Amino acid sequence: MAVTGTLNCQAAEGLLGAWCDGELKVEQAEQVKRHLAVCPSCRSRRVQLERLDNTIRAVLQRKAQEVRFDLAWAGIEERMAEKRSWAARFAERARLAFEMKRLRWAVSVAAVLLIGILALPDSYKAWLFDPGGGRTRIDSIDPHGRNVAVFRERETRTTVIWLFPDEEWDDEVKEESVSNNHVL
Amino acid sequence: MDWNDQDLVERCRSGDHAAFRELASKYYHKVYMVILSILNQTEDAQDVAQETFAKAYAKIHGFRGGSSFYTWIYRIAVNLSFDARRRQKRNPVGQTETGEVEESETGSLAGEPYEDLCNRTLGDKILRAIDELAPEHRAVMVLRVLEGLSYKEIGEILGCPQGTVMSRLHYARKQMQEKLSPWL
């Protein structure tokens, strides 16, 4: 309905609620205001409308206060716990653990060190793990028999066969020869 | 958004449980009244109200702050309320397993069995009159009169144009005035 010029009572009544709520455009609000200035019955309707709203508000506010939040909160918490999936709980625990500043620092440093070590060339790795040497590296020790060890060095392809005294074997041999002498 | 609400929402996102409790205690009564106005059943309204806040907590990370927190939570509440109302229609309250219909409790805002209107206090009469409105009219009445929301905010919450909000409110007020005029 186009509202131009002055309003009649029917049109004004239709806009009265929105006017009281402050929801009309400026031009419409002015028209309603001008009509109210000259129409006592519409002024009376406005008073009734405001009284109705105020009374409803008071009654509903009183009704709302009957609700006990503490009881409701217990129910809300229960539902919140149900909604959290195991993945969310795990992620939450991991997040809280990682938030410990010391742990976060230590993990970061360890990760950087590990990446750095793995990225090193082989020669540097050798120096790192064998700082005193680097001249000779023992690649394998093969225990052949009881007093022979074979050492193989990869770079120079050197093989060393080491005959070392086996004290246990020597003792056994001595015991055997002693007993044989007795028998003899 | 209210600065305090904004701060509380940020703390909720960091997992601050106490901040969410503070938000819930601030808005629970208001949200409950809106839900009750749509559902007309106290127990269902309590369930939906608790579910509303539990859902809000689960989705707090998705809240971008484009609207105010209370608009956002009212929207959740209204959507859940209309879902519950559809379930109510499919499974009417008070229908036994044999299909017999029990005496239903009418007007949960009033909260009492129906009596002669003249014997009630004005507050009860008002609550009864609100109960007799259609849910969509009750919802706009509560959101405007109790919560003081603008037509734009109400439209966002209910998912309808401002013009629809204005006409529903006009109709609801007219109905209320007709019912309560002898006592106001």
Side-chain angles (χ1 to χ4, degrees):
Chain A
M1 178 178 63
V3 182
T4 53
T6 54
L7 294 173
N8 58 26
C9 284
Q10 190 184 8
E13 191 193 340
L15 296 173
L16 203 52
W19 182 81
C20 290
D21 293 337
E23 294 279 349
L24 290 181
K25 290 181 182 157
V26 173
E27 194 187 294
Q28 273 187 326
E30 278 300 312
Q31 287 173 331
V32 172
K33 190 176 170 186
R34 280 199 295 271
H35 181 81
L36 288 174
V38 298
C39 180
S41 64
C42 283
R43 279 202 300 275
S44 171
R45 277 197 202 97
R46 175 204 166 174
V47 169
Q48 283 176 0
L49 189 59
E50 286 172 352
R51 192 183 306 141
L52 175 71
D53 271 13
N54 291 337
T55 310
I56 291 173
R57 188 177 304 118
V59 168
L60 289 176
Q61 279 172 348
R62 204 162 48 237
K63 186 76 185 173
Q65 290 311 310
E66 290 174 7
V67 176
R68 283 193 54 192
F69 176 69
D70 51 348
L71 294 177
W73 178 246
I76 292 169
E77 276 192 309
E78 208 175 297
R79 288 166 197 263
M80 281 161 63
E82 278 169 23
K83 284 189 184 310
R84 289 176 69 192
S85 66
W86 68 268
R89 281 194 288 266
F90 176 79
E92 177 74 11
R93 284 198 196 107
R95 186 185 66 79
L96 287 170
F98 201 68
E99 271 183 352
M100 288 170 57
K101 285 185 182 171
R102 193 181 296 175
L103 181 62
R104 186 165 50 187
W105 180 86
V107 167
S108 304
V109 168
V112 167
L113 279 175
L114 186 63
I115 291 167
I117 288 167
L118 290 173
L120 284 174
D122 287 346
S123 54
Y124 284 103
K125 279 185 196 171
W127 176 83
L128 198 65
F129 291 110
D130 185 18
R135 293 185 293 272
T136 304
R137 219 172 48 186
I138 310 303
D139 285 313
S140 68
I141 297 176
D142 301 318
H144 297 274
R146 299 176 76 172
N147 59 347
V148 175
V150 176
F151 300 87
R152 292 193 180 86
E153 205 276 323
R154 193 168 54 195
E155 280 181 25
T156 58
R157 299 190 183 187
T158 304
T159 303
V160 175
I161 302 170
W162 182 29
L163 301 170
F164 55 91
D166 185 341
E167 290 181 0
E168 264 186 42
W169 171 253
D170 288 347
D171 287 343
E172 279 176 24
V173 167
K174 277 184 191 167
E175 279 173 17
E176 214 176 286
S177 68
V178 165
S179 67
N180 284 344
N181 286 340
H182 280 301
V183 167
L184 290 172
Chain B
M1 186 160 53
D2 182 272
W3 280 109
N4 193 33
D5 282 359
Q6 190 175 15
D7 179 55
L8 288 171
V9 167
E10 283 308 314
R11 283 165 54 193
C12 287
R13 285 207 187 104
S14 311
D16 187 342
H17 206 68
F20 188 72
R21 190 180 200 279
E22 201 176 319
L23 267 177
S25 70
K26 189 174 173 183
Y27 290 109
Y28 184 81
H29 298 88
K30 299 169 190 272
V31 169
Y32 173 77
M33 288 305 292
V34 170
I35 293 169
L36 189 60
S37 73
I38 294 171
L39 290 182
N40 227 6
Q41 299 280 345
T42 311
E43 264 186 45
D44 288 351
Q46 286 169 356
D47 276 346
V48 172
Q50 290 173 14
E51 185 63 24
T52 297
F53 282 91
K55 193 171 180 181
Y57 186 74
K59 289 180 174 296
I60 198 81
H61 292 280
F63 174 59
R64 301 278 174 238
S67 58
S68 60
F69 176 78
Y70 63 79
T71 309
W72 181 68
I73 203 157
Y74 278 138
R75 214 175 310 139
I76 297 174
V78 164
N79 287 339
L80 288 176
S81 300
F82 281 120
D83 287 345
R85 201 162 155 261
R86 279 191 283 275
R87 285 196 297 276
Q88 273 179 350
K89 282 184 176 176
R90 282 199 296 270
N91 305 302
V93 171
Q95 191 164 30
T96 65
E97 287 177 1
T98 58
E100 293 170 3
V101 177
E102 296 170 349
E103 252 184 44
S104 60
E105 182 190 335
T106 55
S108 65
L109 273 172
E112 294 172 13
Y114 181 78
E115 291 174 5
D116 184 7
L117 205 60
C118 296
N119 295 330
R120 291 171 162 271
T121 62
L122 179 59
D124 286 344
K125 290 179 175 69
I126 287 172
L127 292 173
R128 175 66 60 185
I130 292 174
D131 282 340
E132 289 172 3
L133 295 172
E136 54 271 20
H137 295 121
R138 281 202 299 266
V140 292
M141 176 70 82
V142 170
L143 287 169
R144 174 61 213 168
V145 174
L146 180 62
E147 309 303 337
L149 300 182
S150 68
Y151 289 12
K152 182 171 180 277
E153 287 169 327
I154 296 171
E156 282 173 7
I157 290 166
L158 297 180
C160 61
Q162 289 182 50
T164 306
V165 173
M166 183 170 152
S167 65
R168 283 180 184 172
L169 205 44
H170 172 71
Y171 179 83
R173 279 169 166 150
K174 202 169 167 188
Q175 292 289 301
M176 295 289 288
Q177 271 182 319
E178 285 170 10
K179 288 180 173 122
L180 298 169
S181 56
W183 298 282
L184 284 177

